[in-house]
Amino acid sequence: MILDAIESIGVFPETGLLALNSYENRVYQFRCDQGLRYVVKFYRPQRWSEAQIQEEHDYALALAAEDIPIAVPVIIDNKTLFEFKGYRFALFPSIGGRAFEVDNLEQLESVGRFIGRIHQYASKQPFVYREPLTPEILGDDAYRYLQDSGIVAEGMRSAFFTVVEQVLTKAKQIWQQHSFDTIRLHGDLHPGNILWTPDDGSGFVDLDDARQGSAVQDIWMMLTGDRAQQLLQLDILIDAYQEFCDFDTKQLALIEPLRAFRMIHYNAWLAKRWQDPAFPMNFPWFADIKYWEQQTLAFKEQLAALNEAPLSLTSFNQG
């Protein structure tokens, strides 16, 4: 059926389908009879509306028109979103490259510039259909789903939900103390969604989680290591970013709340998808009590991080 869907838009695979590392959607790489390499992406039904997917596509095409290296859907007969037997799908050129190295400061500087360019364009108008980045969607809704799902190991429910509730309360408290302008975001800009080539530098993929939110969302997932390392990475990223776009450093106070929401949302996402056969196969540890013991500890550590002073470039530069 996948091959029939691809051929329905006039593209004829010459090779087999190589499944790529995607669980939310179904994504395959292949070479067509013209020698071109493509990636076909089948969207998970009932997740995004057609208008939301089309807005993602239009955003990618607009960024590419600004000479930003980002994966864009192929246009065939003036369309980028196709349907076959109830499944919506899109075709993308296959982008080569190796994994972006977050500890490579030269690469980090280049990525910072491109994020600045993306946000410079993204701030011109808001999304209309994409979801906003809010504590309610990523935090409250995810927390309630986990409680109702019954997925948390029985012996860990009390300890786990007690600390998660504390984390959620603290993260929302910090969030509510701040108010920042929102822009169109990549939304899921972790290192795995950045490819690097020696000749062309960085390239960005996967706008599936594009949403409206604070600019720091597209920056914080680059940070790794201890506090000193993160401050160095931030200094490089923000300095390069501000060549193209102003950044309000007060947004750094949102990093740990955003990390907290992502932790809660991730567990709820796994719980929501548990009936999909791909998930028990690829995440077998999710049903193990040891996982929930580890998560309880991770949330306790996150609560401590939320109670610390936020990262500050002022203190780094003074140091």
Side-chain angles (χ1 to χ4, degrees):
M1 187 174 72
I2 294 167
L3 293 171
D4 288 344
I6 297 169
E7 291 181 0
S8 74
I9 58 175
V11 177
F12 299 91
E14 184 180 67
T15 64
L17 299 165
L18 174 64
L20 300 185
N21 187 27
S22 176
Y23 305 109
E24 186 63 9
N25 303 297
R26 294 295 184 266
V27 184
Y28 304 91
Q29 183 177 274
F30 67 92
R31 187 178 70 245
C32 78
D33 60 351
Q34 302 299 311
L36 301 174
R37 288 195 311 147
Y38 288 110
V39 169
V40 61
K41 174 180 178 179
F42 288 84
Y43 289 87
R44 180 177 289 274
Q46 285 91 49
R47 181 166 183 246
W48 299 130
S49 69
E50 184 169 331
Q52 287 172 319
I53 298 173
Q54 191 60 59
E55 191 168 43
E56 170 207 331
H57 289 185
D58 294 342
Y59 182 43
L61 290 165
L63 289 175
E66 298 291 317
D67 292 324
I68 293 167
I70 193 161
V72 296
V74 174
I75 302 172
I76 298 176
D77 295 332
N78 296 317
K79 294 173 58 178
T80 58
L81 183 60
F82 309 98
E83 187 271 337
F84 188 82
K85 294 188 176 180
Y87 292 96
R88 291 174 298 195
F89 69 99
L91 197 66
F92 296 81
S94 179
I95 297 178
R98 52 189 171 85
F100 160 62
E101 301 168 12
V102 292
D103 56 351
N104 184 315
L105 302 185
E106 183 179 340
Q107 291 186 17
L108 199 64
E109 184 178 19
S110 173
V111 168
R113 289 194 186 98
F114 275 118
I115 298 174
R117 288 181 58 195
I118 291 171
H119 287 187
Q120 181 186 50
Y121 176 80
S123 61
K124 293 181 180 179
Q125 65 184 63
F127 280 134
V128 176
Y129 301 106
R130 304 294 299 184
E131 277 188 350
L133 191 159
T134 67
E136 291 73 29
I137 292 174
L138 297 183
D140 291 332
D141 292 351
Y143 176 68
R144 282 193 293 269
Y145 189 89
L146 273 174
Q147 280 189 309
D148 296 340
S149 68
I151 199 77
V152 179
E154 187 61 38
M156 290 303 301
R157 282 183 62 85
S158 178
F160 175 77
F161 285 116
T162 296
V163 69
V164 172
E165 184 175 5
Q166 292 171 342
V167 165
L168 183 56
T169 299
K170 183 62 178 180
K172 289 166 62 179
Q173 183 183 77
I174 296 172
W175 189 278
Q176 290 161 4
Q177 292 171 354
H178 301 278
S179 177
F180 301 107
D181 291 336
T182 64
I183 61 172
R184 290 174 291 177
L185 301 169
H186 179 286
D188 192 28
L189 200 53
H190 57 76
N193 278 335
I194 303 174
L195 299 175
W196 186 270
T197 60
D199 295 330
D200 300 323
S202 53
F204 301 87
V205 300
D206 194 8
L207 282 169
D208 198 59
D209 285 299
R211 58 183 73 229
Q212 192 79 15
S214 298
V216 71
Q217 169 65 15
D218 280 350
I219 293 173
W220 76 266
M221 278 184 273
M222 304 288 163
L223 308 180
T224 60
D226 61 23
R227 191 178 181 89
Q229 289 173 303
Q230 292 186 33
L231 284 169
L232 173 61
Q233 294 159 356
L234 258 181
D235 187 58
I236 292 170
L237 276 169
I238 299 302
D239 192 51
Y241 178 101
Q242 293 195 127
E243 292 180 25
F244 298 94
C245 192
D246 289 335
F247 180 81
D248 185 350
T249 56
K250 294 186 181 68
Q251 287 192 40
L252 300 180
L254 300 183
I255 289 178
E256 293 308 328
L258 285 167
R259 193 190 313 275
F261 297 143
R262 187 174 179 85
M263 290 169 66
I264 300 169
H265 187 264
Y266 176 73
N267 281 292
W269 172 67
L270 289 174
K272 288 178 182 177
R273 302 293 183 249
W274 200 240
Q275 300 308 311
D276 179 335
F279 279 72
M281 181 172 63
N282 288 285
F283 306 95
W285 35 260
F286 186 64
D288 194 304
I289 192 169
K290 290 183 179 179
Y291 173 76
W292 297 105
E293 292 172 349
Q294 294 165 353
Q295 284 297 293
T296 300
L297 177 59
F299 275 102
K300 287 180 179 178
E301 293 171 347
Q302 185 58 28
L303 183 59
L306 286 164
N307 284 312
E308 290 182 2
L311 293 174
S312 168
L313 291 178
T314 301
S315 61
F316 172 76
N317 292 327
Q318 289 175 345

